[in-house]
């Protein structure tokens, strides 16, 4: 429809797959100095000890793994994935040559034969903390493996601790199968695009005029009034991970299932649109009741996987590293009366449409913010120093609860015993951080969310109240769509769904109402 003549079509036509062709890298292209990516710059700004800033996975493994064989498997994985050989020299990042990291000192065996329950969990906690403390980015010790040997007749446990600079959620899905393949003596699949190459392409992308054109959008977002939520502003000296507290809430399957399927479908949206609408409604209501402000806009930091398809010629499907993007959004659902929120009235649907459109205004899942904030000096000068959001939200997606099996995740209680992946003295970045996740259980999917907050800023009751308002808003959205609680049309399109025409939300709603009336008359 955009190119309506043969001449216009011929001018833009390209062979199928031309834009998908991956550039072949010469041998060793992933080795050497790595330009700092936006998330690496963000890491540099953390306040406090960061040598142990890590992610961990605890696996159930076969009996008698054999330390020598496990060490050889780890060596193969480290040599294969460049970022596992990363070294940090002050503000510089460098990937060392293959074969320069000795895997033997990175593997530890712990005898846990005959230990179960609380006794085993205590050992796991102590060893997890010790493994984190033994990470050392300056010397390239980015990986630690601890094998908990339960004896020749029982499955053991394997703890993998990696510095966050070299791993993210997607990377784990690459590394764990590769470790098993290497342990079994198999050959690891090649890595089409190195992290170093990606970092170089990001630096070039940051200078693109199209990225600079995003600057007014990000300045406008960060100009959102954001009154202090707690007793005072976040203080890096006083508000650390050691003083953080946690509150977990959940929704049963009969609410979660329609929340993740029916509600997004009705509004032609995504799960994130729904969860963030609930957050915007909850924070606005909570702040008003606490006398903080009557403003309904909420400033929130979101996380993206960061592996956006913004440059041609790269394939990150096998690339290990920290790709996460962090970017601010302004969510303004408008004021909705609490009763209307809980009953799922018409205003709740309007709120969801508003938030959906605000999220659609963000290009490329927000990766441009970090490019401008850290890799584009003129833009960085205008964005640096601005207050960042007090609230962060991250939806970790949906996963099935795995059956107990070798090389699969260990029991949840054992994983929970590992403790945090950061030093207690590291300063918190946000006053409140929400991490939500859906598990597919035998009786259906269940959404849970852990609210982590600065214990010196909020009392437990205040956060429990806020989290409760969020789940109440989510229930209200389900009632709006599934229970027909609203009087009038439910769901519908928003302007971003109809990009080929210039039409506002009011016009779309009026047309939908007319069509709905015609159907009823028929």
């Amino acid at each position: 429809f955009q190119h309506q003549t043969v001449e216009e079509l011929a001018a833009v036509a390209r062979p199928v797959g031309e834009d998908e062709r991956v550039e072949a890298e010469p041998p060793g292209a992933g080795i050497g100095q790595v330009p700092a990516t936006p998330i690496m710059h963000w890491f540099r700004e953390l306040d406090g000890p960061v040598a142990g800033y890590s992610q961990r996975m605890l696996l159930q493994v076969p009996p008698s793994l054999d330390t020598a064989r496990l060490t050889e498997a780890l060596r193969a994985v480290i040599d294969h994935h460049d970022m596992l050989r990363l070294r940090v020299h002050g503000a510089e990042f460098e990937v060392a040559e293959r074969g320069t990291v000795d895997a033997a000192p990175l593997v530890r065996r712990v005898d846990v034969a005959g230990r179960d329950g609380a006794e085993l969990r205590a050992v796991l906690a102590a060893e997890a903390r010790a493994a984190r403390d033994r990470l050392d980015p300056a010397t390239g010790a980015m990986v630690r493996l601890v094998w908990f040997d339960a004896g020749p007749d029982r499955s053991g446990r394997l703890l993998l601790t990696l510095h966050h600079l070299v791993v993210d959620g997607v990377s784990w899905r690459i590394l764990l199968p590769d470790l098993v393949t290497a342990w079994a003596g198999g050959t690891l699949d090649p890595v089409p695009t190195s992290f170093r190459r990606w970092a170089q392409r990001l630096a070039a992308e940051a200078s693109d005029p199209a990225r600079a054109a995003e600057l007014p959008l990000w300045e406008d977002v960060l100009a959102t009034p954001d009154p202090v939520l707690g007793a005072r502003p976040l203080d890096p000296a006083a508000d650390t991970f050691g003083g953080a507290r946690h509150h977990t809430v959940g929704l049963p399957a009969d609410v979660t299932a329609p929340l993740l399927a029916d509600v997004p479908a009705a509004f032609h949206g995504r799960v994130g649109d729904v969860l963030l609408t609930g957050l915007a409604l909850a924070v606005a209501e909570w702040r008003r009741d606490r006398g903080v402000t009557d403003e309904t806009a909420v400033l929130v930091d979101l996380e993206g996987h960061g592996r956006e398809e913004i440059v041609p010629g790269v394939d990150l499907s096998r690339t290990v590293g920290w790709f996460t993007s962090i970017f601010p959004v302004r969510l303004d659902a408008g004021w909705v009366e609490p009763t209307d929120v809980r009953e799922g009235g018409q205003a709740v649907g309007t709120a969801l449409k508003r938030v959906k459109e605000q999220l659609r205004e963000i290009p490329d899942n927000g990766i441009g913010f970090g490019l401008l904030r850290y890799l584009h000096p003129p833009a960085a000068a205008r964005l640096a120093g601005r207050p960042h959001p007090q609230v962060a939200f991250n939806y970790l997606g949906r996963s099935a609860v795995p059956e107990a099996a070798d090389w699969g995740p260990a029991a949840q209680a054992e994983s929970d015993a590992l403790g945090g992946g950061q030093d207690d003295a590291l300063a918190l970045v946000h006053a409140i951080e929400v991490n939500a996740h859906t598990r597919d259980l035998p009786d259906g999917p269940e959404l849970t969310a852990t609210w982590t907050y600065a214990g010196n800023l909020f009392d437990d009751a205040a956060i429990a109240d806020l989290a409760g308002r969020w789940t109440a808003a989510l229930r209200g959205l389900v009632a709006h769509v599934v229970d027909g609680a609203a009087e009038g049309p439910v769901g519908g399109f928003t302007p971003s769904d109809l990009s080929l025409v210039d039409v506002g939300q009011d016009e779309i709603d009026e047309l939908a109402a007319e069509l709905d009336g015609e159907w009823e008359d028929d």
Side-chain angles (χ1 to χ4, degrees), residues 42-54 88 132 135-137 163-165 421-423 425-427:
W42 181 90
F43 170 78
R44 287 173 178 168
E45 293 180 348
L46 294 176
D47 196 327
V50 293
Y53 193 67
S54 58
V88 182
R132 186 192 72 195
L135 295 175
D136 187 2
H163 197 283
H164 206 337
L165 278 171
Q422 307 87 15
D423 192 292
L426 183 64

Side-chain angles (χ1 to χ4, degrees), residues 120-134 148 417-418:
L120 175 61
R121 291 193 294 273
V123 175
L124 293 174
E127 291 293 334
R129 186 179 186 89
R132 186 192 72 195
D133 291 344
R134 288 195 297 269
F148 298 92
L418 301 179

Side-chain angles (χ1 to χ4, degrees), residues 228-231 245-249 279 282-292 342 391 431-432 434 451-471:
V228 174
L229 294 174
R245 299 180 66 82
H246 310 278
H247 179 76
T248 299
V249 294
L279 182 67
V283 174
E285 181 185 305
W286 182 76
R287 288 193 308 192
R288 177 176 287 201
D289 284 355
R290 290 167 61 86
V292 175
R342 284 148 183 76
V391 179
I432 300 172
V434 186
W451 295 62
T452 300
Y453 56 98
N456 292 328
L457 296 187
F458 308 96
D459 58 45
D460 297 345
I463 299 299
D465 179 30
L466 175 56
R469 293 174 192 251
W470 178 65
T471 56

Side-chain angles (χ1 to χ4, degrees), residues 209-398:
R211 288 297 165 196
E214 293 181 19
L215 181 57
L217 180 150
W218 298 116
E219 288 184 307
D220 183 56
V221 168
L222 291 176
T224 303
D226 194 27
V228 174
L229 294 174
R232 53 168 172 74
L234 200 66
D235 181 356
D239 302 314
T240 65
F241 278 92
R245 299 180 66 82
H246 310 278
H247 179 76
T248 299
V249 294
L251 291 172
D254 63 340
V255 177
T256 299
L259 182 74
L260 302 184
D262 297 349
V263 179
F267 289 88
H268 307 279
R270 305 164 187 162
V271 173
D273 302 334
V274 181
L275 300 181
L276 289 170
T277 298
L279 182 67
L281 291 168
V283 174
E285 181 185 305
W286 182 76
R287 288 193 308 192
R288 177 176 287 201
D289 284 355
R290 290 167 61 86
V292 175
T293 180
D294 288 340
E295 293 286 340
T296 54
V298 181
L299 199 58
V300 179
D301 260 345
L302 299 184
E303 284 193 18
H305 57 67
R307 299 173 189 242
E308 309 299 339
E309 297 180 1
I310 58 173
V311 294
V314 301
D315 177 0
L316 304 176
S317 61
R318 289 273 302 151
T319 309
V320 168
W322 191 10
F323 289 83
T324 303
S325 59
I326 301 175
F327 57 96
V329 295
R330 176 178 55 228
L331 306 177
D332 189 352
W335 175 251
V336 182
E337 291 295 333
T339 301
D340 216 15
V341 171
R342 284 148 183 76
E343 294 179 354
Q346 194 68 34
V348 171
T350 301
L352 201 161
K353 291 178 180 178
R354 291 184 58 165
V355 170
K356 173 190 167 185
E357 287 303 288
Q358 291 157 14
L359 293 171
R360 294 303 179 275
E361 291 177 359
I362 304 296
D364 297 322
N365 292 321
I367 196 170
F369 176 78
L371 295 176
L372 295 175
R373 170 65 179 82
Y374 297 110
L375 305 185
H376 189 284
R382 291 166 60 175
L383 294 174
R386 291 174 177 262
H388 61 74
Q390 300 173 74
V391 179
F393 184 90
N394 187 20
Y395 179 56
L396 302 172
R398 184 170 178 170

Side-chain angles (χ1 to χ4, degrees), residues 489 492-493 498 507-522:
F493 292 103
L498 309 172
E507 295 173 281
I508 295 173
D509 291 343
E510 288 174 8
L511 178 60
E514 289 178 11
L515 292 174
D516 188 58
E518 291 180 6
W519 279 108
E520 289 180 356
D521 292 340
D522 291 342

